[in-house]
């Protein structure tokens, strides 16, 4: 990978606090019941930009200093509307997290990396991104690192507290930040109306939620490390071509001569479920079951049929997620056709894409407060068989995160969470319409099997594919 593969160093050259440009009255904002289902985990996202050419006004080229100036000023403006990102998470009297909106600001770092953009080994983000190009958050809700590369390219990395924002909310903020940089009006003004997610009186929920969510106090103690060390989780980034996705969709939709249209996400997830199950068989362990969860966004579901509520929910900032999961026998997943597995995915998703599911989930949390809870699949990894979660990043608006020096050559989430389950996020490719870029955090053995058995589907992300070779 040239000089910028694994062995490059990043030096932070400046660190400051960027607060909202308009002073605000300090106030408390409670977390919604759906926010309370998230453990204290951070999510990162990064954008790689090639060295900018002449700026749009025909003036001199952008310098790193001028780009940092644009980012800093636009961030201070965006934090006026997105004031939650400039606050702090603090425990209330019953031990639940709450948001203190005090405009403390965002830690904003400038850095230099002695690597060129086309030398970064983006296929292996554990080496190239983690601890280098995305910041570790020490304080507050959001932090930002802007890194200058040896070639004049720039990487903008952000890390935020998942308890405050889901990917939908973070995407809204990223687009607004770019709009501020371009002096455009905000296309969406975020709403923090927690009353949209109020509980019902009286509350009620389906008992199936007890299978999907678990109180932290009811979790078994963590297992002692295995002799010889357990199979570690590793992160990789691939691309999948539009042609392969169409082929998977056709195979997943055709059963015994009949055609049942399955979405690309259902088809892709079913294929991955088969792969992870096959990896368990290869390792000859005695595990019987393999679980797969799919993250579902509840904004459209909660406003079903109500146009006014639909508009308000579309701008709602916070977590509106559920993670339903299916579990199947490993042998079945391995031996049955892709269409059978895709039917299983479709079936368990159907129950969770309803308004009632989300209203019930809000009521379930209320019934157990202040006891903290989380999605069962987050902590149900190796104990009874492999488990992983797929979160669709198809709405990831990387192409709109243009601060004035062009669209990013790559934008991706980076989420090496501490859960016992793997995590996979497919996003639209910036290089070719219809292709996907896929961030994958799975066990090393699972990745090795996927790279052997499905190399035609999952291709390592390279500089050549992203057109970074200048």
């Amino acid at each position: 990978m040239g000089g910028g593969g694994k062995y490059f160093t990043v030096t932070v050259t400046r660190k400051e606090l960027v607060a909202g440009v308009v002073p605000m009255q300090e106030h408390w904002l409670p977390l919604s019941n759906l926010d309370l289902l998230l453990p204290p985990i951070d999510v990162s996202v990064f954008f790689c930009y090639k060295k900018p050419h002449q700026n749009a006004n025909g003036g001199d080229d952008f310098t790193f200093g001028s780009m940092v100036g644009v980012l800093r000023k636009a961030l201070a403006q965006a934090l006026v509307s997105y004031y939650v990102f400039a606050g702090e998470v603090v425990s209330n009297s019953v031990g639940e997290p709450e948001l203190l909106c005090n405009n403390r600001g965002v830690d904003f770092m400038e850095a230099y990396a002695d690597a060129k953009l086309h030398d970064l080994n983006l296929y292996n983000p554990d080496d190239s991104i983690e601890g280098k190009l995305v910041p570790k958050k020490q304080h507050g809700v959001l932090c930002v690192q802007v890194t200058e590369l040896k070639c004049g390219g720039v990487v903008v990395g952000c890390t935020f507290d998942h308890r405050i924002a889901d990917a939908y909310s973070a995407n809204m903020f990223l687009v607004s930040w770019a709009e501020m940089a371009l002096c455009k009006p905000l296309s969406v003004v975020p709403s923090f109306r927690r009353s949209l997610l109020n509980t019902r009186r009286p509350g009620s929920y389906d008992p199936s939620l007890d299978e999907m969510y678990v109180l932290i106090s009811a979790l078994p103690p963590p297992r002692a490390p295995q002799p010889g060390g357990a199979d570690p989780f590793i992160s990789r980034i691939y691309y999948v071509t539009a042609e392969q996705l169409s082929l998977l969709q056709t195979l997943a939709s055709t059963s015994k001569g009949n055609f049942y249209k399955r979405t690309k996400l259902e088809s892709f997830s079913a294929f991955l479920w088969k792969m992870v199950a096959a990896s368990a068989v290869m390792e000859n362990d005695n595990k019987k079951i393999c679980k797969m969860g799919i993250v579902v966004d509840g904004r459209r579901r909660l406003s079903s049929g109500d146009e006014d509520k639909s508009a308000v929910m579309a701008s709602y900032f916070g977590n509106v997620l559920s993670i339903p999961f299916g579990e199947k026998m490993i042998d079945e997943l391995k031996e049955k056709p892709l269409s059978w597995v895709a039917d299983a995915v479709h079936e368990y998703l159907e129950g969770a894409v309803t308004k009632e599911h989300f209203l019930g989930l809000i009521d379930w949390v209320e019934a157990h407060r202040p006891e903290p809870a989380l999605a069962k699949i987050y902590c149900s990894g190796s104990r009874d068989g492999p488990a992983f979660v797929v979160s669709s990043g198809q709405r990831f608006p990387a192409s709109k995160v243009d601060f004035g020096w062009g669209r990013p050559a790559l934008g991706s989430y980076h989420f090496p969470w501490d859960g016992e389950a793997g995590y996979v996020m497919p996003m639209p490719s910036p290089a070719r319409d219809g292709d996907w870029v896929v961030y994958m955090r799975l066990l090393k053995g699972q990745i090795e099997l996927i790279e052997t058995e499905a190399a035609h589907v999952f291709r390592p992300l390279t500089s050549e594919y992203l057109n970074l070779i200048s």
Side-chain angles (χ1 to χ4, degrees), residues 121-133:
N121 184 5
L122 295 166
Y123 152 70
N124 183 348
D126 291 337
D127 282 348
S128 58
I129 303 298
E130 177 66 20
K132 290 182 176 175
L133 299 176

Side-chain angles (χ1 to χ4, degrees), residues 38-89:
L38 273 295
I41 49 176
D42 290 337
V43 184
S44 296
V45 60
F46 66 93
F47 300 91
C48 303
Y49 299 89
K50 294 182 189 180
K51 179 182 180 177
H53 299 300
Q54 259 197 345
N55 68 35
N57 302 323
D60 293 333
D61 285 359
F62 279 104
T63 62
F64 179 66
S66 66
M67 288 189 275
V68 166
V70 167
L71 289 165
R72 188 193 297 113
K73 182 182 175 188
L75 178 61
Q77 292 169 329
L79 289 173
V80 175
S81 294
Y82 292 85
Y83 54 84
V84 293
F85 269 157
E88 296 177 85
V89 178

Side-chain angles (χ1 to χ4, degrees), residues 245-404:
L245 288 167
S246 293
L247 185 59
L248 285 178
Q249 188 175 23
T250 303
L251 289 170
S253 301
T254 311
S255 176
K256 295 175 184 165
N258 297 315
F259 190 79
Y260 307 95
K261 184 74 181 265
R262 296 290 171 241
T263 66
K264 285 191 170 68
L265 184 71
E266 287 171 336
S267 311
F268 168 87
S269 303
F271 180 73
L272 209 47
W273 202 0
K274 281 179 74 67
M275 286 285 117
V276 170
S279 148
V281 174
M282 293 281 289
E283 286 164 21
N284 291 325
D285 57 21
N286 297 317
K287 306 292 186 344
K288 300 281 191 288
I289 288 172
C290 182
K291 297 177 183 172
M292 180 179 69
I294 293 189
V295 178
V296 176
D297 185 295
R299 286 171 176 81
R300 281 209 326 274
R301 280 86 191 181
L302 281 166
S303 52
S304 57
D306 181 336
E307 276 184 34
D308 292 340
K309 186 158 187 189
S310 182
V312 182
M313 281 309 300
S315 62
Y316 178 80
F317 188 102
N319 287 284
V320 195
L321 303 175
S322 181
I323 315 181
F325 65 88
E327 53 180 68
K328 292 289 178 191
M329 302 301 285
I330 282 171
D331 289 346
E332 278 189 315
L333 288 168
K334 187 169 182 290
E335 287 157 19
K336 297 275 192 186
L338 185 63
S339 57
W340 183 89
V341 183
D343 288 348
V345 175
H346 183 76
E347 196 176 299
Y348 82 72
L349 274 180
E350 256 185 338
V353 295
T354 64
K355 182 176 184 177
E356 181 54 42
H357 171 84
F358 281 92
L359 293 174
L361 184 53
I362 292 165
D363 290 346
W364 185 93
V365 175
E366 190 68 18
H368 296 91
R369 285 178 66 183
E371 180 90 59
L374 46 70
K376 205 176 253 189
I377 194 160
Y378 177 78
C379 45
S380 67
S382 51
R383 207 174 299 274
D384 47 2
F388 69 101
V389 169
V390 177
S391 178
S392 170
Q394 288 311 305
R395 291 203 199 93
F396 183 48
S399 63
K400 293 182 180 173
V401 186
D402 176 351
F403 296 100

Side-chain angles (χ1 to χ4, degrees), residues 186-262:
L186 292 189
S187 52
V188 177
V189 177
S191 159
F192 304 98
R193 268 176 64 189
R194 301 301 195 221
S195 59
L196 292 167
L197 302 179
N198 274 355
T199 58
R200 297 174 290 190
R201 297 273 185 266
S204 68
Y205 60 87
D206 192 278
S208 63
L209 287 173
D210 290 322
E211 299 304 312
M212 282 175 57
Y213 290 87
V214 61
L215 298 178
I216 289 174
S217 59
L219 291 175
R223 295 190 305 174
Q226 304 296 304
D231 193 11
F233 278 103
I234 60 174
S235 296
R236 294 289 183 264
I237 303 182
Y238 303 95
Y239 70 94
V240 182
T241 66
E243 293 78 7
Q244 283 295 338
L245 288 167
S246 293
L247 185 59
L248 285 178
Q249 188 175 23
T250 303
L251 289 170
S253 301
T254 311
S255 176
K256 295 175 184 165
N258 297 315
F259 190 79
Y260 307 95
K261 184 74 181 265
R262 296 290 171 241

Side-chain angles (χ1 to χ4, degrees), residues 74-223:
L75 178 61
Q77 292 169 329
L79 289 173
V80 175
S81 294
Y82 292 85
Y83 54 84
V84 293
F85 269 157
E88 296 177 85
V89 178
V90 186
S91 288
N92 65 17
S93 57
V94 293
E96 291 180 333
E98 269 192 29
L99 196 56
L100 174 59
C101 300
N102 58 359
N103 201 24
R104 93 169 266 285
V106 167
D107 284 345
F108 185 92
M109 287 160 279
E110 296 169 43
Y112 177 79
D114 63 346
K116 295 178 179 176
L117 183 54
H118 64 75
D119 283 334
L120 294 179
N121 184 5
L122 295 166
Y123 152 70
N124 183 348
D126 291 337
D127 282 348
S128 58
I129 303 298
E130 177 66 20
K132 290 182 176 175
L133 299 176
V134 292
K136 282 264 180 280
K137 186 169 67 59
Q138 308 291 344
H139 309 286
V141 178
L142 167 72
C143 66
V144 173
Q145 179 181 315
V146 187
T147 307
E148 179 183 15
L149 300 170
K150 206 156 53 169
C151 57
V154 169
V155 179
V156 177
C158 308
T159 300
F160 62 90
D161 189 326
H162 202 336
R163 293 173 296 178
I164 303 306
D166 56 14
Y168 183 103
S169 306
N171 292 345
M172 268 178 13
F173 164 76
L174 291 163
V175 171
S176 295
W177 185 12
E179 287 170 341
M180 290 281 105
L182 298 173
C183 302
K184 290 181 176 177
L186 292 189
S187 52
V188 177
V189 177
S191 159
F192 304 98
R193 268 176 64 189
R194 301 301 195 221
S195 59
L196 292 167
L197 302 179
N198 274 355
T199 58
R200 297 174 290 190
R201 297 273 185 266
S204 68
Y205 60 87
D206 192 278
S208 63
L209 287 173
D210 290 322
E211 299 304 312
M212 282 175 57
Y213 290 87
V214 61
L215 298 178
I216 289 174
S217 59
L219 291 175
R223 295 190 305 174

